[in-house]
Amino acid sequence: NTIISGDISFPSSLRKLNLSGTKLANFEFLSKLTRLTNLILAETKFRNEVNFLPSSLRKIKIPTEFDFQVLSQLPNPESILVSW
């Protein structure tokens, strides 16, 4: 597991990101990744912050503790593959 603190900055052109096992307090930085298509959030504290997910997202792996009731709020749910 990796602990990340402070401001996080990735290139906006990033297409794939694996945050599995990281300890993040905030996921707001995801909204700036406008070309992100694949995101792995397994073993993170990501729960209901779907408003931070970019509309370019096509595949997401979410934590098992994710609130499944918010799946309909994903930015483009008809074209997103969700796995646990």
Side-chain angles (χ1 to χ4, degrees):
N1 288 344
T2 303
I3 298 173
I4 299 175
S5 60
D7 291 335
I8 299 171
S9 180
F10 292 104
S12 62
S13 60
L14 191 67
R15 293 189 180 267
K16 296 180 181 181
L17 182 59
N18 183 344
L19 294 172
S20 182
T22 57
K23 306 254 187 240
L24 296 167
N26 186 329
F27 292 90
E28 189 172 348
F29 70 95
L30 292 173
S31 64
K32 297 175 184 167
L33 302 178
T34 57
R35 295 187 179 194
L36 191 66
T37 58
N38 298 322
L39 178 61
I40 299 175
L41 293 169
E43 300 176 31
T44 66
K45 294 188 182 276
F46 185 86
R47 297 297 178 268
N48 302 329
E49 300 94 337
V50 294
N51 56 313
F52 295 140
L53 298 176
S55 60
S56 58
L57 196 62
R58 297 295 175 257
K59 294 181 182 178
I60 183 171
K61 186 169 186 177
I62 54 178
T64 54
E65 298 86 3
F66 185 79
D67 181 358
F68 301 107
Q69 293 181 5
V70 299
L71 285 177
S72 64
Q73 298 172 21
L74 289 171
N76 200 0
E78 67 274 0
S79 63
I80 291 182
L81 172 64
V82 177
S83 63
W84 293 265

